[in-house]
Amino acid sequence: MVRENEIRENEVAVPPPQANDAGLVFIGTIRTPWTSRLICPRQGRADGPVCRIALFAPWDQALAGIERFERLEVLYWLHQSRRDLVRQSPASNGETHGTFALRTPVRPNPIGTSIATLVAREGPVLLVRGLDCLDETPLLDIKPDRTLFKPIAPPQPGDFETG
Ligand code: SAM
């Protein structure tokens, strides 16, 4: 937990990825049954097939404690997407919608998110249900489902601001 770049007792740092402007680092690979976009689910389902999220070292160390959460928010890079459409016609019927009014994979920054159910952890690999991405989709991040997570750090003034 870092508030002003400090390192605190028992915190563990690893060599950081090279800093570049808003650069992302792929921290693992997602293995799913789907090798074509034509058969991939449009949205993952809680009773869908078990998929494997394989973390690369050293990021596997960041899984410590994850077993406490039944559901995880998984973020991934929809690497085969085109990125240039601002209006899209999901039904191919001439009716278009703005990209940001859709959950389409075609977006300027093709980030996909799903709530996945954690089935098991096998070392650096998480077994989950609820994904909707192609096999070998790059992994961007994993967080506890926000409805299951309570901040561990003490509250601070902004937490009480309303209006
Ligand atoms: N659940 C995520 C979301 O809402 O952000 C993604 C939804 S997106 C509609 C899911 C579709 O993206 C799949 O049906 C497939 O057509 C496409 N897709 C999946 N993995 C992809 C990848 N690696 N590259 C490009 N497109 C992908």
Side-chain angles (χ1 to χ4, degrees):
M1 176 68 177
V2 177
R3 294 189 69 202
E4 288 192 308
N5 287 339
E6 74 275 24
I7 295 282
R8 296 176 178 171
E9 190 180 9
N10 292 331
E11 292 184 332
V12 178
V14 298
Q18 190 180 7
N20 51 12
D21 186 23
L24 294 170
V25 59
F26 296 156
I27 58 167
T29 306
I30 303 177
R31 304 307 310 263
T32 75
W34 305 295
T35 53
S36 160
R37 280 175 275 190
L38 302 181
I39 57 167
C40 209
R42 302 241 187 243
Q43 287 293 340
R45 42 189 299 165
D47 60 353
V50 173
C51 300
R52 298 171 70 86
I53 301 177
L55 276 286
F56 302 143
W59 309 111
D60 54 328
Q61 297 172 60
L63 293 175
I66 204 157
E67 296 91 340
R68 287 191 290 122
F69 298 98
E70 185 189 340
R71 290 187 307 278
L72 303 171
E73 193 172 332
V74 183
L75 286 76
Y76 35 97
W77 189 253
L78 298 161
H79 63 313
Q80 292 187 15
S81 283
R82 59 184 300 158
R83 302 171 61 173
D84 55 346
L85 300 186
V86 292
R87 293 192 69 100
Q88 302 181 42
S89 178
S92 293
N93 61 358
E95 183 188 343
T96 63
H97 304 259
T99 292
F100 301 139
L102 298 169
R103 295 200 67 105
T104 169
V106 177
R107 37 205 329 118
N109 294 306
I111 295 171
T113 75
S114 286
I115 299 296
T117 307
L118 180 60
V119 175
R121 176 178 171 192
E122 296 175 354
V125 178
L126 299 179
L127 277 59
V128 302
R129 296 183 196 272
L131 296 181
D132 53 18
C133 58
L134 293 174
D135 191 33
E136 302 198 348
T137 291
L139 175 67
L140 292 178
D141 203 357
I142 303 173
K143 311 182 192 205
D145 179 321
R146 73 187 65 216
T147 65
L148 303 177
F149 184 78
K150 286 209 182 76
I152 298 166
Q156 49 193 13
D159 293 327
F160 305 102
E161 283 178 24
T162 59

